[in-house]
Amino acid sequence: MVWADLAFVVTALVYLAASAAFGIYLVGGPRAQSTLFATTAPFLLGLGACMHAAHIGVTSFALRVCPVESVHFSMSVLAVFVAATYLFVRRRFQLNALGAVVAPFALTFLLASRFAFSRLGETANPVRRVLLPFHIAANVLGIALFTLAFAAAVTYLFQERQLKRKEFGGLFRRLPPLEALDRAEHQLLLAGFPLLTLGILTGTVWARGIELGDSASIARAIFGYASWALFAAVLLARAAAGWRGRRAAYGIVAGYSFTLVVILIYLLRPAVT
Amino acid sequence: MMLVVGLSHRTAPIDVRERFAVAEERLGEFSKMVHALDGVSEAFVVSTCNRFEVYAVAKNGAESPESAIIEAIAAWSKQPASTVRRLVYAHVDRDALLHLFRVTASLDSLVVGEPQILGQVKAAFECASIAGTLGPHLLRSVPRAFAAAKRVRTETTIGAGNVSISSVAVDLAEQIFGDLSQCEALLVGAGEMAEAAARSFGKRTLALRVCNRSFDRGAALARAIGAGVAPWESLAHELATADVVIASTSATEFIITHDMVKKAIHARRGRSLFFIDIAVPRNVDPKVHKIDNVYVFNVDDLENQVQVAQERRKIAHEEASHIVDDELAAHEHWSLALGVQPTLVALRDGARAIFRSELERTLATRLKHLGSEERAALEQMLDSGVSKWLHRPTVALKAAAVRGEGQALVEATETLFELSTDACTEPSQPSQPSHDDDTVRH
């Protein structure tokens, strides 16, 4: 486990360096906008994500645990997916500046995974045992996409507020254009929604028969369904009534807030079969 | 001795400057004409809409060619020499060099920090290079001025922000839509102000249409700027398709109302709509700005942004001036150190010649049994020894030159070692000083 610990520390340091590089890129002077930081920061994040994935692989092999069958590994996998998805879509949607949110997010979840409860409850039911990895993998992938959509939505609201007030701070010209953010929010939501739906369905089947006497389980289910309903409403309103921009951004922020509550419940109290 | 003779937006209005303008394809020809003057060894000419300047280097020992250059300018521009003399300024030696550095760094521009001037000076320098009017002095100084200008642009915010209403409008549109090449623009009205703004957008957008109350006038403007034309009656419909709307009619009431835009945004299914209202009185109802995904910027809003950018550039100006001063000082140190170069070359060549002669004699007699590899090793050892032995005197001579005490040391060295530097003049293609050249920068 020495190698796993070493990989964890180095990954954390690389994520930290990536966060600093993105921060300098965003708030630094014209020199910080130069090619050096614009290329170094995503490279560091990519390196961190690779090392993070290697750390998960090594640790899960050593502990003989499937990465998507425990809460702390799931948190870790989520961070890797968020970083990877960002690196994949950043050029397409001109989202380079969002790395300043993604890199600290990856670092936070890497550290959080270290201190979360380690295992989900065991289940003897073979159907549920098969469903569990699908449930967690779908949710993790979906949440990774929603995390980026949330970051784009918050940035959209920040930019839109400056335009409406006609008062522009130093970050205004360094953040992505409004339409690019809006397009990114929508497409990430579209990609994440089927995964969340699969997660909700498998979760519902998996949870059948479990007595929801536990208040945390009840809260988790309620917030999970609420976030699904909110994301569905945002997509539906955009398709049917052309709701985009600020309204869509608020919807995404609200939906993701519910998702975060579910994650927090998982982190603070593991699922019980 | 370097000098610059010219006029700029600071000293002459446009009707005067345009009399002296030289087309880029004739810059080389005029440079040659100046280069051919008595007392001039090097020359290049810069001509932009805001300045006309002749940079020249006087021959060693010759009198200042200022008068000859003024007469050349008068002959070229077909103006009386007395008029030219009254209009132009002249800077000599360090002042001329400082002027060149400030011009290329855009510190002397009408719009401080504008990026075009560096390219214009580079183009003029290239013309002179092709014309063969450059020499060691300008080949050293001008590239150094380019390097200083590049440093100013990368290390300060001198070029940040936009300082014209049109560029601010384009910048805001890009912050809303990103790539404007997929956007459509609509020009409402056919006034002069609208035309200037429309030209800025016309180059960047997918399509530009002109919608004017008088269709014929709108069509004439559309032809002039390469845009399409839309009838006045279709204005409401046009709002549903255009992404950027530039309003500049002389109407005294709002021609684009809240209800009109509300319907348009519904038809657009919420896609953003950006209004640039440069009309006074305003054409777009200010309440329109409150509609979701709609942004209205009037003349005051745009001018506020221009002022903010100008304030930022003022702050950066001081910082940029320090960089220019630093670069100029470094260049002067390097140039001074270059003055001892002929002595250093003669010293090195002399030492090497003596040692080589001794080595050859020994190789021909006592060491004649050595093979080619051993001989090559001995020669390499000798060269290396000469370089190491001369390192301290080299550093000391260059340092003395930078302190302005080089001449005495040069004379002493030449006397002690019986050196002759007649054949050694300034190198014709000197390498540019690097920032880590610590032997010449103190």
Side-chain angles (χ1 to χ4, degrees):
Chain A
M1 289 302 286
V2 176
W3 284 107
D5 286 343
L6 188 67
F8 177 85
V9 172
V10 175
T11 305
L13 289 174
V14 174
Y15 275 150
L16 190 66
S19 305
F22 272 116
I24 294 167
Y25 168 76
L26 202 58
V27 300
R31 191 182 270 183
Q33 291 285 298
S34 69
T35 341
L36 180 68
F37 283 95
T39 52
T40 309
F43 172 77
L44 284 171
L45 184 61
L47 182 67
C50 289
M51 297 189 69
H52 194 164
H55 167 249
I56 292 168
V58 169
T59 316
S60 61
F61 182 77
L63 292 176
R64 299 181 189 285
V65 176
C66 174
V68 289
E69 274 188 14
S70 77
V71 172
H72 82 265
F73 273 143
S74 298
M75 292 301 108
S76 225
V77 171
L78 174 63
V80 174
F81 275 126
V82 170
T85 313
Y86 161 77
L87 291 168
F88 187 68
V89 302
R90 73 187 178 95
R91 281 187 198 278
R92 182 181 162 85
F93 296 115
Q94 300 170 265
L95 298 179
N96 212 26
L98 289 198
V101 178
V102 172
F105 176 91
L107 177 63
T108 308
F109 270 70
L110 173 73
L111 297 176
S113 70
R114 188 79 168 181
F115 305 107
F117 286 93
S118 61
R119 295 292 295 265
L120 288 174
E122 295 292 339
T123 174
N125 187 325
V127 178
R128 290 193 206 149
R129 198 183 291 161
V130 170
L131 277 179
L132 186 61
F134 284 104
H135 170 66
I136 297 179
N139 277 334
V140 164
L141 275 169
I143 292 169
L145 294 163
F146 294 145
T147 302
L148 285 177
F150 169 76
V154 170
T155 312
Y156 181 97
L157 292 172
F158 180 69
Q159 290 286 78
E160 196 257 3
R161 187 184 165 91
Q162 292 188 79
L163 270 164
K164 282 291 183 193
R165 292 187 170 194
K166 301 179 182 177
E167 288 168 4
F168 306 108
L171 289 181
F172 182 69
R173 281 172 184 80
R174 296 180 189 181
L175 292 175
L178 282 186
E179 285 290 305
L181 289 165
D182 186 58
R183 211 166 44 245
E185 284 169 28
H186 181 57
Q187 305 230 343
L188 289 164
L189 207 56
L190 266 181
F193 190 71
L195 291 165
L196 183 66
T197 307
L198 180 64
I200 292 272
L201 284 174
T202 48
T204 304
V205 173
W206 191 76
R208 266 180 67 193
I210 297 173
E211 285 184 19
L212 291 174
D214 178 1
S215 59
S217 302
I218 296 170
R220 211 177 62 217
I222 289 171
F223 279 104
Y225 289 128
S227 66
W228 181 87
L230 263 168
F231 288 137
V234 170
L235 287 172
L236 200 65
R238 186 177 178 117
W243 274 35
R244 45 199 288 167
R246 195 160 60 100
R247 290 176 187 180
Y250 276 129
I252 290 168
V253 170
Y256 190 75
S257 304
F258 288 170
T259 310
L260 272 183
V261 173
V262 177
I263 294 172
L264 275 176
I265 294 171
Y266 264 122
L267 282 173
L268 299 174
R269 181 171 184 164
V272 179
T273 50
Chain B
M1 177 181 69
M2 180 174 167
L3 79 157
V4 54
V5 179
L7 45 87
S8 72
H9 62 93
R10 291 185 188 280
T11 58
I14 180 116
D15 59 321
V16 172
R17 295 200 304 274
E18 63 194 8
R19 280 184 257 161
F20 294 89
V22 180
E24 193 178 321
E25 59 271 19
R26 299 194 68 194
L27 282 175
E29 188 188 335
F30 188 41
S31 298
K32 271 185 183 172
M33 184 176 159
V34 177
H35 186 247
L37 296 172
D38 276 348
V40 175
S41 62
E42 303 172 37
F44 88 104
V45 179
V46 176
S47 179
T48 71
C49 52
N50 284 321
R51 68 182 62 250
F52 165 78
E53 285 171 343
V54 177
Y55 291 87
V57 177
K59 280 179 184 161
N60 279 342
E63 277 186 24
S64 169
E66 185 182 326
S67 294
I69 291 171
I70 287 173
E71 279 168 25
I73 294 170
W76 181 271
S77 61
K78 299 183 176 65
Q79 302 290 316
S82 58
T83 306
V84 176
R85 202 178 301 277
R86 186 168 46 80
L87 291 170
V88 298
Y89 49 76
H91 302 301
V92 183
D93 283 341
R94 191 181 191 279
D95 289 343
L97 209 52
L98 179 62
H99 184 77
L100 171 69
F101 274 55
R102 289 182 65 82
V103 166
T104 51
S106 191
L107 295 179
D108 197 54
S109 295
L110 179 62
V111 178
V112 171
E114 53 90 6
Q116 287 85 10
I117 186 66
L118 180 58
Q120 288 165 331
V121 179
K122 278 184 175 173
F125 190 64
E126 181 66 25
C127 289
S129 174
I130 292 165
T133 61
L134 300 176
H137 199 292
L138 289 178
L139 281 169
R140 280 202 305 265
S141 313
V142 183
R144 185 78 194 210
F146 295 157
K150 197 175 167 194
R151 241 192 96 191
V152 164
R153 291 207 80 75
T154 52
E155 292 180 23
T156 72
T157 52
I158 195 93
N162 294 292
V163 285
S164 76
I165 283 185
S166 294
S167 53
V168 165
V170 169
D171 186 46
L172 286 171
E174 283 176 340
Q175 279 303 125
I176 295 169
F177 299 105
D179 182 11
L180 293 182
S181 65
Q182 300 304 312
C183 294
E184 293 190 15
L186 174 70
L187 176 60
V188 183
E192 274 180 30
M193 281 286 280
E195 187 181 334
R199 280 187 195 278
S200 301
F201 278 97
K203 286 182 282 186
R204 294 172 170 84
T205 50
L206 180 69
L208 171 68
R209 281 187 297 283
V210 179
C211 182
N212 192 46
R213 210 181 285 268
S214 156
F215 185 83
D216 292 341
R217 203 167 156 211
L221 175 61
R223 271 195 303 278
I225 60 175
V229 64
W232 184 252
E233 297 72 36
S234 69
L235 177 59
H237 171 72
E238 289 292 328
L239 293 182
T241 54
D243 302 299
V244 179
V245 179
I246 306 153
S248 176
T249 75
S250 52
T252 51
E253 74 286 356
F254 298 135
I255 57 164
I256 294 171
T257 62
H258 185 269
D259 286 347
M260 201 190 260
V261 178
K262 194 93 181 159
K263 281 179 191 158
I265 210 77
H266 184 69
R268 299 168 62 82
R269 301 187 63 75
R271 267 188 305 122
S272 299
L273 183 54
F274 178 38
F275 287 97
I276 302 156
D277 187 1
I278 48 178
V280 180
R282 287 174 294 179
N283 287 165
V284 184
D285 185 348
K287 279 190 281 181
V288 168
H289 187 65
K290 290 186 178 147
I291 300 172
D292 268 357
N293 305 332
V294 179
Y295 310 95
V296 182
F297 280 72
N298 60 39
V299 171
D300 279 1
D301 300 327
L302 297 171
E303 270 176 0
N304 282 343
Q305 295 308 309
V306 169
Q307 271 178 5
V308 169
Q310 281 175 338
E311 286 302 315
R312 280 190 194 143
R313 286 192 181 195
K314 265 186 205 164
I315 296 164
H317 188 280
E318 198 178 334
E319 207 180 328
S321 296
H322 288 310
I323 290 174
V324 164
D325 290 344
D326 279 357
E327 286 290 323
L328 184 58
H331 176 69
E332 285 176 328
H333 282 184
W334 181 74
S335 294
L336 285 168
L338 210 66
V340 300
Q341 200 66 19
T343 306
L344 290 172
V345 170
L347 187 60
R348 195 174 301 261
D349 289 348
R352 202 170 280 156
I354 291 167
F355 286 121
R356 273 190 180 275
S357 148
E358 290 303 313
L359 178 66
E360 274 164 23
R361 194 184 311 160
T362 311
L363 285 173
T365 53
R366 278 181 291 163
L367 297 179
K368 63 181 175 188
H369 60 279
L370 292 183
S372 58
E373 273 184 27
E374 285 90 348
R375 284 165 186 263
L378 276 174
E379 282 172 13
Q380 198 178 348
M381 185 192 77
L382 185 146
D383 284 347
S384 172
V386 167
S387 294
K388 282 185 180 167
W389 180 58
L390 289 178
H391 176 69
R392 280 186 178 279
T394 302
V395 173
L397 266 171
K398 284 184 175 177
V402 169
R403 290 195 305 271
E405 300 160 5
Q407 194 54 35
L409 213 51
V410 162
E411 282 171 14
T413 308
E414 287 176 359
T415 307
L416 285 170
F417 293 97
E418 293 180 336
L419 300 176
S420 167
T421 57
D422 294 346
C424 301
T425 53
E426 281 182 313
S428 59
Q429 293 289 336
S431 58
Q432 283 303 300
S434 63
H435 286 272
D436 54 358
D437 188 356
D438 59 359
T439 58
V440 292
R441 295 182 73 189
H442 297 280

